[in-house]
């Protein structure tokens, strides 16, 4: 693993702008994996493998919890030992690609054996994904200490992540056929991108080992439990994560079985990815002017207004109107993500000011655990609800179609509203804590 790096602008101690931007390419690779799993895997389980929605939902939620617990474990370790994040990413890149390809293989068995095998592969992928992705996220704090670099890195990561979502939406087939071959191609691309990031971007490690080893998990968790801004940010983020996951999982079902336009679902996912990418610089500008907390509340208004418009539209929503609404909701989701990652470092700073010591990697891992739990709960809610209303894969009846529609609209509306209420009640940050230029987005 050569130690060469992207050539920086300025001297060795100055800003490294190209390096900061190049580091964000890693999010393109991770989102090739993550967006495929988030948008297509549940549909693949029910309509290609023939799993019942409730069983598919159980697999997704168990995987999400395992993913989040793995995040937490490596976060605890990172706050105690001087882990070389770059090395972990390097070693995990190829095994992660292999497990991703196995997710979309149709096993030559049926019944309980299929469920057990699918659950095993899913758990293995999610745990390894966490063990590679969290070090990548934490690595961002060791790329550069300059505020300008961190701003560029935050924007670069979100932009590359959105481009990954667009790539997945365009590349994956509209129905369940052909997922395995496309998963192979996506895994190859992701592996090459991560290898390039590992090769070209260095990692700066500070000499604070003895202080870190003296810490305890109980002490760190105790400090976080008294950090009100961190707790409320986590609660609000859980709400919007559930909202986004419900919409993401529902798109293919909605366009295939409600609008009878499966190709429209593929187009919607692609346009949603583009909308999310375009919205990033807009939300960045808004947050820098009025603060991350206020931009969150505006994003909540945009998302709720779009979903309400879909329900109140006098006629049956068509493909075009549905795509416009979903694009608006996705733009709002970009606002939530930007605001959350802008406020998280400030919440960590606040915790340090009241506890007298800094809890960083553990805070990041808990925050990511909250997101993974939200993703899993959304999949479980959909699976159990679909099963309750009689949908078992294939073409649903009238009750199943009603469940697909109302879960996609009412569920996100309610969770976005709750998240906005929590954010409105959260401590009002001062101007310094809403300055996103110091945000290591992850």
């Amino acid at each position: 693993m050569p130690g060469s790096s992207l050539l920086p602008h300025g001297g060795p101690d100055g800003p490294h702008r190209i390096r900061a931007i190049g580091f964000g390419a890693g999010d393109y690779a991770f989102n090739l994996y993550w967006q495929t799993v988030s948008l297509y895997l549940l549909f693949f389980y029910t309509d290609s493998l023939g799993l019942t929605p409730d069983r598919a939902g159980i697999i997704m939620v168990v995987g999400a919890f395992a993913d989040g617990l793995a995040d937490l474990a490596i976060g605890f370790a990172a706050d105690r030992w001087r882990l070389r994040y770059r090395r972990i990413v390097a070693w995990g890149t190829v095994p992660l690609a292999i497990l991703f390809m196995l997710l979309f293989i149709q096993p030559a068995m049926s019944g309980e054996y299929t469920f057990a095998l699918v659950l095993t592969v899913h758990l293995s992928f999610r745990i390894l994904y966490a063990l590679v992705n969290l070090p990548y996220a934490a690595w961002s704090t060791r790329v550069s200490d300059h505020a300008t670099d961190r701003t560029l890195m935050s924007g670069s990561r979100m932009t590359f992540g959105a481009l990954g979502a667009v790539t997945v939406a365009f590349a994956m087939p509209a129905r369940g056929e052909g997922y395995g071959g496309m998963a192979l191609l996506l895994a190859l691309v992701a592996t090459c991108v991560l290898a390039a990031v590992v090769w070209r971007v260095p990692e700066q490690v500070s000499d604070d080992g003895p202080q870190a080893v003296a810490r305890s998990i109980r002490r760190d968790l105790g400090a976080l439990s008294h950090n009100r801004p961190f707790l409320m940010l986590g609660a609000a983020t859980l709400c919007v994560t559930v909202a986004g996951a419900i919409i993401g999982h529902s798109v293919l079902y909605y366009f295939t079985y409600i609008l009878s336009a499966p190709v429209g679902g593929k187009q919607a996912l692609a346009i949603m990815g583009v909308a999310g990418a375009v919205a990033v610089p807009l939300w960045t500008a808004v947050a820098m002017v009025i603060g991350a907390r206020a931009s969150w509340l505006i994003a909540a208004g945009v998302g709720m207004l779009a979903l309400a418009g879909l329900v109140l539209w006098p006629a049956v929503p068509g493909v075009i109107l549905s795509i416009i609404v979903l694009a608006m909701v996705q733009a709002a989701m970009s606002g939530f993500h930007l605001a959350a990652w802008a406020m998280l470092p400030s919440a960590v700073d606040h915790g340090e000011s009241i506890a007298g010591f800094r809890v960083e990697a553990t805070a990041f891992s808990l925050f990511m655990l909250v997101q993974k739990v939200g993703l899993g709960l959304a999949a479980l809610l959909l699976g159990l609800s679909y099963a309750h209303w009689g949908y078992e894969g294939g073409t649903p009846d009238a009750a199943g179609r009603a469940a697909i529609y109302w879960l996609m609209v009412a569920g996100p509306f309610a969770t976005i509203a709750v998240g906005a209420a929590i954010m409105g009640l959260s401590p009002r940050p001062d101007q310094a804590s809403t300055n996103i230029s110091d945000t290591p987005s992850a």
Side-chain angles (χ1 to χ4, degrees), residues 341-357:
W341 288 108
M343 289 185 283
L344 180 58
S346 300
V348 172
D349 292 341
H350 175 78
E352 182 180 15
S353 69
I354 61 175
F357 59 94

Side-chain angles (χ1 to χ4, degrees), residues 63-76 130-131 365 369 372-373:
F65 273 95
D67 189 340
L69 291 175
D71 278 337
L72 195 58
I74 198 168
F76 287 149
L131 293 178
S365 63
L369 172 62
K372 304 296 174 55
V373 169

Side-chain angles (χ1 to χ4, degrees), residues 50 57 79 81 148 174 199 211 234 253 257-258 272 286 334-335 351 423:
D79 270 336
W81 302 296
T148 300
W199 177 43
Q211 181 181 2
Y253 293 100
Y257 301 122
I258 305 299
M272 289 167 66
V286 170
S334 291
M423 187 55 59

Side-chain angles (χ1 to χ4, degrees), residues 216-247:
S216 70
I217 295 175
R218 182 176 180 180
R219 185 185 185 194
D220 286 356
L221 292 178
L224 290 175
S225 69
H226 292 90
N227 188 340
R228 187 181 172 211
F230 175 80
L231 296 175
M232 299 194 75
L233 177 60
T237 300
L238 175 65
C239 292
V240 298
T241 301
V242 170
I246 289 175
I247 291 174

